[in-house]
Amino acid sequence: MFLIDFIVHIDSHLQTLVSEYGTWVNGILFLIIFCETGLVVLPFLPGDSLLFAAGSLASLQGSQLDPHILFIGLTLAGILGDSTNYWIGKKFGVTVFTSGRFRFLKQEHLDKTRAFYLKYGGKTIIIARFIPIVRTFAPFVAGIGTMPYRKFITYNVIGAMLWVGLFVYAGFYFGQLPLIQKNFKLVILAIIVLSITPPVIEYFKHRLERNKSDLG
């Protein structure tokens, strides 16, 4: 419930953190983005909404957050997170799933990410940046599938720059518009819904095709 409240009211929670910790919030945001992208057991942490809200707060007059510092720092967090996740997948692979130690790890998440790889190949690393849950599992599956790291890191860097840049600067330039401020919670919810819609559709399409092949 705390996590849901944090995501829905992420603007007010971030304002509280900034007032209490000042520029140290950059480090807190770095840690959240790193964990969300780097630790396969934490796919539920906020990503898109956090970046948008941080960019929005950076646009306030006298804000202790700077959009360019956010972009650089959080892009680095995303790159390091995905790289960490890649090497975890490469070293431990599917045994992490079969151990049963992590109740948040579900086979359906792994299947959903594999379905994206079947359709998009290596570009999944870039596309997945904009899709919750798949974003966390994509580098892990890339490690399992032994994608060459040189190829992976290229997609990783491009994806991180596009993802962080889009949401931070969208928040910075549009987050303080009166219309968005009056409906900020709805905007955050819309970002979440739009983010999860493609993988949900893709997952059910994949399941339908697999069921048809099993029946046929």
Side-chain angles (χ1 to χ4, degrees):
M1 292 302 296
F2 171 78
L3 182 63
I4 294 174
D5 179 75
F6 182 83
I7 294 174
V8 174
H9 303 92
I10 197 166
D11 55 331
S12 57
H13 286 295
L14 273 183
Q15 286 178 332
T16 300
L17 287 174
V18 171
S19 64
E20 291 183 0
Y21 299 102
T23 55
W24 286 102
V25 169
N26 287 292
I28 296 173
L29 296 177
F30 182 98
L31 184 61
I32 293 174
I33 294 299
F34 173 81
C35 289
E36 196 242 1
T37 57
L39 303 180
V40 74
V41 295
L42 297 174
F44 48 82
L45 290 176
D48 307 337
S49 55
L50 182 72
L51 297 174
F52 184 85
S56 177
L57 287 180
S59 68
L60 292 173
Q61 187 173 6
S63 174
Q64 298 187 63
L65 295 179
D66 181 277
H68 308 307
I69 292 177
L70 286 172
F71 171 70
I72 295 171
L74 300 183
T75 296
L76 180 60
I79 294 171
L80 293 177
D82 261 29
S83 294
T84 300
N85 215 341
Y86 173 92
W87 290 110
I88 291 174
K90 193 174 184 66
K91 186 170 181 61
F92 299 104
V94 293
T95 56
V96 175
F97 277 83
T98 57
S99 67
R101 295 180 180 178
F102 306 103
R103 62 189 182 92
F104 295 109
L105 296 180
K106 298 181 180 180
Q107 186 64 37
E108 63 188 77
H109 295 159
L110 187 61
D111 293 338
K112 186 189 301 181
T113 306
R114 281 174 170 164
F116 265 74
Y117 270 102
L118 289 174
K119 183 171 184 178
Y120 299 109
K123 292 191 291 295
T124 297
I125 300 299
I126 297 176
I127 299 170
R129 285 288 187 182
F130 299 89
I131 305 171
I133 297 180
V134 175
R135 173 168 56 241
T136 304
F137 284 89
F140 183 83
V141 174
I144 293 176
T146 62
M147 176 189 291
Y149 187 70
R150 181 178 297 179
K151 180 179 180 181
F152 170 82
I153 193 63
T154 301
Y155 289 124
N156 181 10
V157 172
I158 295 172
M161 292 179 67
L162 291 174
W163 178 52
V164 175
L166 176 64
F167 282 102
V168 166
Y169 287 112
F172 181 76
Y173 289 111
F174 304 110
Q176 295 302 322
L177 294 176
L179 179 63
I180 292 181
Q181 276 299 298
K182 290 179 182 178
N183 302 280
F184 201 87
K185 294 176 181 59
L186 291 177
V187 172
I188 295 299
L189 289 174
I191 290 173
I192 295 171
V193 170
L194 289 174
S195 298
I196 66 175
T197 297
V200 170
I201 294 174
E202 194 68 28
Y203 174 72
F204 281 108
K205 283 174 61 179
H206 178 68
R207 285 291 296 271
L208 183 61
E209 291 172 359
R210 189 168 63 181
N211 291 338
K212 286 182 177 179
S213 63
D214 291 341
L215 291 174

